[in-house]
Each structure stands twice: as C-alpha cells, then as structure tokens.
Amino acid sequence: MLAGLVLAASLGGAARAELWAFVDGAGVAHVAPTQLDSRYRRVLGDAPGGNGAEQVPGKTDRTDSLLLWLEIAPEVKALRPVLREAAEAHGVDEELLKAVIAVESGFNAKAVSPRGAVGLMQITPVTADRYATPAELKQPAATRLLDPRINVHTGTRMLADLTRRYGDIEVALAAWNAGETAVRRHGGKLPPIDETRAHVQLVLELYWALLQDRQSRRATGMQMQPAR
C-alpha cells in the first residue's frame, strides 16, 4: 500500500504528540489532542514527567482502550467492508483510513465542522467535487458526503493522490490538514503550523499502533534466533 512505504521515515521526523479519548454511554468515541476534561484519558503519547527515553510509537499500554474500541465498536464494524473496499481500490492502508477517521470525526458519519467539513473524513464540499466521480457530481457535495461509502472513497482518493504527489505520508497528511498551498509555501515540507504538526502526529501515532496490532494478531508463534 502507498502509505506503508514511508511510515517509518515520517515517524522519525515528526514531533511527539498526544491523543486523548473516552467512550461515552452511547458507545461513541471522543478523540482530542489534549485532555479537554476529566473524562479524557491519554491513549497515545508519552506521559509528562517521564524519563525522556524514546519509545516505539504506539507501543504502550495506553493504546489498548482505543484499539479495543476500534475493534468492537458497532459503527467501526459496520464500516469495515467500506474501508477494505476503498483501501484495495485506491492503494491506501486500511489502518491509515481508520486512523484518519478516528482523529477527524471519531467515526461520526454526520459530523460537520465549523469550517464546513463533512462526514467521516471531514471533507469540504470544494475538495469533494475535485475528487468526485461523474456519477457523484450529480448530487450536491454537502449531501453526498453524509453517505459513509462516498465519503470514505472520496477521502481515500484524496489521500492516494496526495501521497503519490508528495511521496511522503507525513506531508500528504499536512496537505490534508493545512491545504496544499501551505505545503507548497514551505517547499513541499511539513509546515511549521502547530495545529497541523499535532494533527499529523496524532494520525501517525494511531496508524502505527493499528499496524502493530495487525501484525501481532497475525503472529502464530515465536522463534528465538541464536546470537551471532
């Protein structure tokens, strides 16, 4: 998949960030880059006051609750066929799609941001029209983006396009968040915008954790190799 090719390099160059989350009584996950109130618990990122030692991204017990929610939540389960279909059709890791959706909307298909971004992947109508198929363009963007399948396919086309053009998932996510103009203005690199850098790292942290979880689930045994 396109995204997996550049993940390690992207993580190595990004600043550390945090991901806080809680699941409410209705089973809806709420995700934020900071602890908005006492309900939020840190699920990704280093705890303050630590020893400063570098940790493998995603390799902490704090990921368990969010990964468990992503495994069992009804809204996530219902979307799995669409995520798999979009990933295979457009060459983007399914885990990256999950990470983007978790950070962007918390898997709320009806979410609309103050800036007018709509649905699971929080896409603006202007961007949606750019990545729409001729059949999709027959319906107003603000309406069709509320359809989970259309929203995910539109967002996946966009991620695939940005990753191909920039050759780096970190920069592609920055263009997704801050816009391609901001990326071009900074020489095709990650812009020095705090909000954008935090957003990119949150997605990459969760993406890495999901990839690690996938690999651990596929493991059927362990073989120790002798020291050379």
Side-chain angles (χ1 to χ4, degrees), residues 24-49:
D24 65 22
V28 176
H30 300 260
V31 184
T34 59
Q35 186 178 26
L36 299 182
D37 59 49
S38 61
R39 297 171 298 175
Y40 285 82
R41 296 290 182 268
R42 184 186 287 104
V43 294
L44 288 173
D46 295 334

Side-chain angles (χ1 to χ4, degrees), residues 91-166:
V92 176
D93 284 343
E94 184 177 340
E95 289 77 12
L96 178 59
L97 298 181
K98 278 187 179 180
V100 170
I101 293 170
V103 173
E104 289 284 359
S105 69
F107 280 83
N108 179 2
K110 297 182 179 179
V112 179
S113 78
R115 298 177 182 176
V118 180
L120 290 165
M121 299 188 77
Q122 290 291 277
I123 306 167
T124 63
V126 171
T127 300
D129 283 345
R130 178 179 175 185
Y131 288 97
T133 66
E136 290 169 352
L137 285 171
K138 295 177 181 179
Q139 188 179 19
T143 300
R144 71 172 180 270
L145 285 172
L146 293 172
D147 181 315
R149 185 177 181 277
I150 292 177
N151 192 290
V152 169
H153 273 273
T154 302
T156 308
R157 291 185 202 113
M158 181 179 177
L159 276 177
D161 177 51
L162 293 174
T163 304
R164 278 192 295 265
R165 283 195 282 128
Y166 294 111

Side-chain angles (χ1 to χ4, degrees), residues 135-217:
E136 290 169 352
L137 285 171
K138 295 177 181 179
Q139 188 179 19
T143 300
R144 71 172 180 270
L145 285 172
L146 293 172
D147 181 315
R149 185 177 181 277
I150 292 177
N151 192 290
V152 169
H153 273 273
T154 302
T156 308
R157 291 185 202 113
M158 181 179 177
L159 276 177
D161 177 51
L162 293 174
T163 304
R164 278 192 295 265
R165 283 195 282 128
Y166 294 111
D168 188 322
I169 189 59
E170 180 183 74
V171 180
L173 289 170
W176 176 288
N177 177 263
E180 295 174 62
T181 300
V183 170
R184 285 196 298 268
R185 190 180 299 127
H186 292 90
K189 305 294 184 181
L190 182 67
I193 303 171
D194 290 342
E195 177 187 353
T196 298
R197 287 177 175 267
H199 180 274
V200 168
Q201 184 62 19
L202 289 173
V203 173
L204 290 178
E205 287 273 5
L206 184 52
Y207 176 32
W208 179 260
L210 287 166
L211 287 174
Q212 293 295 303
D213 186 61
R214 180 181 69 178
Q215 292 302 318
S216 66
R217 289 175 184 274

